[in-house]
Structures are given as C-alpha cells and as structure tokens.
C-alpha cells in the first residue's frame, strides 16, 4: 500500500504514489498476477496442470516470462514445479492444510491485537464500512462479493498494525492458502457465521480490547479451517484431519 500523509489544509488523506506503483509491470509480473488471481479465485483448481507453452500462447509471449512467473508463484506456494513432470497448482493433505491454518490463526490473532491498539480513527471507520458492506453480500448469498470483502477486511487489519514486516508476512500466508480458503464459504451457513464472527470482532475492536480480539480472531480462523475440511471431505484432500482438530463451534 502506498504511504499516506494527512493534508491538514484540505482535511483529507492524500495518497502518495510510490515508485513501485508508478512503474509499469513487466511481462512476467503481469502473467504472475493473472495466474495468481485465477488460482486464488478457484478458477484453476488445486492439482490442475499449468502448461508453459499454452500459457505463453495465451498471453502472446515467449516461454521465458512464463517461467519467471511460475517460479514466483512456486516461491509463495501456489504451484509445485517438478522437473520433467511440469507445473501443477499446489495440493495439500488435510494435516498440512490444518498446520497452515494454525500458523495463519496465530498470525491473524497478532495482527488483530496490534491493530486494535494502533489503528487510527480513519482506519477504524474504513473497517466498519467494509463490515457493513459485507452484510449485503451475506443477504444475497453472494460468495464472490463476500470473499473479496472478507479479504479486504483482513487486509485492513494487517495494515492497521502499522508494522510493515508483520503485514507483509500475514499477506504472504493468506495468499498461500487463498485457493483453499475460498471453498469454506460454500459450506452450510458459513457466510452468515463468518459475518457474525466479524461482528463480534468489530465490537471488541471498538471497545479497544486487543486481547479479546486476538482470542476471537484465533477462533474465527480455526472455525474456518474446520468448516473447510468438512466441506472438502476426504475426496478432495489426501488424508483426514488430525485427531483433536478443533470442531466448529
């Protein structure tokens, strides 16, 4: 996110363009972003093969920028590259997915706790606005809109920590499990339950109780993990969840 400063004369936030956003993306960056969007949206399912030549033809480029893009995607865990066997969208066992959600839960809990203490009034208002908009998506049963707003809600908390290293770490973790998180919203009543969990979070954020917010966020993430495993079932992942994994509340 570009750095911000407060313009006291105009009384509003002025966005300052950074060198990174001003520069035009390279071919490999454009391809990486497009493929990442397709993976995180579920258009490219876990286990799907990604053929270098077909991607190059699709984008009208040589295979070199495609290889660069795929290496970048592999670095964040979105694809697996196997010598002489090609590239596939990453797949996970239930145990591995549970481990990733466990780390994500602790990271998100830390972000939520720090953001509660550090967010500005403007950032709190923006978070509330996102939360209210997500209710409309719940009423419509609109998974795509809720998924996007949910992503924005959590990202706002990362930025609210005012700790760039932590925010980048949380965003990278979220990107890595994004293809698997999306499916949880298709579980029974998950949109409404997720919104309700966010409502409890908002109440405690506005109260300034960072420790309670962290507890609620941890539970929110582990519930998402349990819901996802229940929705996917044994047919979609290679092993059952670990014994003792927390059930949905």
């Amino acid at each position: 996110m570009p750095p911000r400063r407060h313009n006291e004369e105009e009384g509003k936030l002025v966005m300052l363009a950074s060198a990174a956003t001003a520069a035009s993306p390279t071919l490999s960056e454009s391809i990486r972003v497009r493929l990442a969007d397709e993976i995180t949206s579920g258009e490219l399912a876990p286990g799907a093969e990604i053929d270098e030549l077909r991607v190059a033809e699709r984008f009208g480029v040589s295979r070199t920028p495609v290889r660069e893009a795929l290496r970048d995607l592999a670095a964040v865990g979105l694809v697996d590259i196997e010598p002489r066997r090609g590239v596939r969208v990453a797949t996970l066992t239930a145990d591995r997915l549970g481990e990733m959600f466990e780390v994500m839960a602790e990271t998100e809990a830390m972000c939520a706790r720090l953001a509660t203490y550090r967010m500005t009034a403007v950032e709190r208002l923006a978070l509330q606005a996102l939360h209210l908009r997500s209710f409309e998506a719940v009423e419509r049963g609109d998974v795509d809109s809720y998924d996007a707003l949910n992503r924005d809600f959590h990202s706002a908390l990362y930025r609210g920590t005012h700790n760039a290293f932590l925010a980048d770490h949380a965003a990278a973790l979220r990107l890595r499990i994004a293809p698997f998180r999306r499916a949880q919203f298709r579980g029974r009543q998950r949109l409404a339950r997720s919104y309700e969990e966010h409502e409890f979070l908002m109440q405690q954020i506005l109260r300034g109780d960072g420790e309670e917010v962290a507890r609620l966020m941890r539970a929110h993430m582990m519930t998402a993990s349990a819901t996802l495993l229940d929705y996917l079932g044994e047919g979609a992942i290679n092993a059952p969840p670990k014994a003792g994994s927390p059930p949905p509340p």
Side-chain angles (χ1 to χ4, degrees):
M1 180 179 181
R4 301 184 300 178
R5 63 188 171 101
H6 188 68
N7 185 325
E8 295 182 354
E9 294 180 358
E10 298 180 8
K12 62 183 180 181
L13 290 174
V14 177
M15 300 300 294
L16 301 176
S18 67
T21 57
S24 298
T26 64
L27 282 174
S28 65
E29 287 171 344
S30 297
I31 296 167
R32 174 182 56 78
V33 169
R34 182 70 65 83
L35 292 176
D37 284 346
E38 292 173 1
I39 293 170
T40 56
S41 71
E43 187 175 341
L44 285 173
E49 182 179 3
I50 300 178
D51 184 84
E52 275 187 19
L53 181 57
R54 289 182 182 176
V55 174
E57 292 173 347
R58 172 186 170 191
F59 289 98
V61 298
S62 70
R63 296 174 73 166
T64 299
V66 174
R67 290 194 187 103
E68 293 174 357
L70 293 174
R71 282 197 295 268
D72 289 342
L73 292 173
V76 297
L78 284 179
V79 302
D80 294 322
I81 300 177
E82 300 180 11
R84 297 182 297 280
R85 297 188 63 182
V87 181
R88 292 186 181 276
V89 177
T91 57
L92 296 174
T93 64
D95 280 355
R96 183 62 171 169
L97 190 58
E99 290 169 354
M100 291 173 69
F101 265 91
E102 185 175 54
V103 174
M104 188 82 246
E106 294 301 324
T107 302
E108 294 248 8
M110 184 188 305
C111 287
R113 178 172 59 83
L114 292 177
T116 298
Y117 298 134
R118 297 178 179 179
M119 277 189 296
T120 65
V122 171
E123 288 171 331
R124 284 191 179 85
L125 286 172
L127 189 67
Q128 284 181 286
L130 282 170
H131 179 55
L132 291 174
R133 285 175 59 198
S134 68
F135 180 69
E136 299 172 5
V138 173
E139 286 193 314
R140 296 193 306 270
D142 188 340
V143 172
D144 290 340
S145 293
Y146 188 85
D147 183 41
L149 289 164
N150 178 67
R151 202 161 51 236
D152 290 344
F153 182 89
H154 286 263
S155 294
L157 288 174
Y158 305 161
R159 294 191 299 271
T161 65
H162 293 274
N163 182 318
F165 182 85
L166 177 58
D168 288 346
H169 174 65
L173 281 175
R174 189 173 186 84
L175 178 64
R176 183 165 186 177
I177 65 173
F180 309 96
R181 287 191 55 125
R182 180 180 173 83
Q184 58 134 339
F185 292 129
R186 302 193 185 280
R188 184 177 301 177
Q189 297 297 314
R190 182 56 193 156
L191 288 187
R193 290 176 64 187
S194 177
Y195 177 84
E196 184 179 65
E197 290 160 13
H198 281 193
E199 176 65 24
F200 292 144
L201 282 165
M202 282 302 314
Q203 291 174 7
Q204 298 306 316
I205 287 170
L206 295 177
R207 286 185 58 193
D209 190 344
E211 297 305 321
E212 179 62 9
V213 170
R215 187 191 71 79
L216 289 171
M217 180 60 81
R218 190 177 293 108
H220 174 58
M221 293 300 301
M222 296 312 294
T223 297
S225 172
T227 303
L228 173 62
L229 291 174
D230 181 64
Y231 176 75
L232 292 177
E234 293 186 12
I237 6 186
N238 301 324
K242 285 181 178 179
S245 293

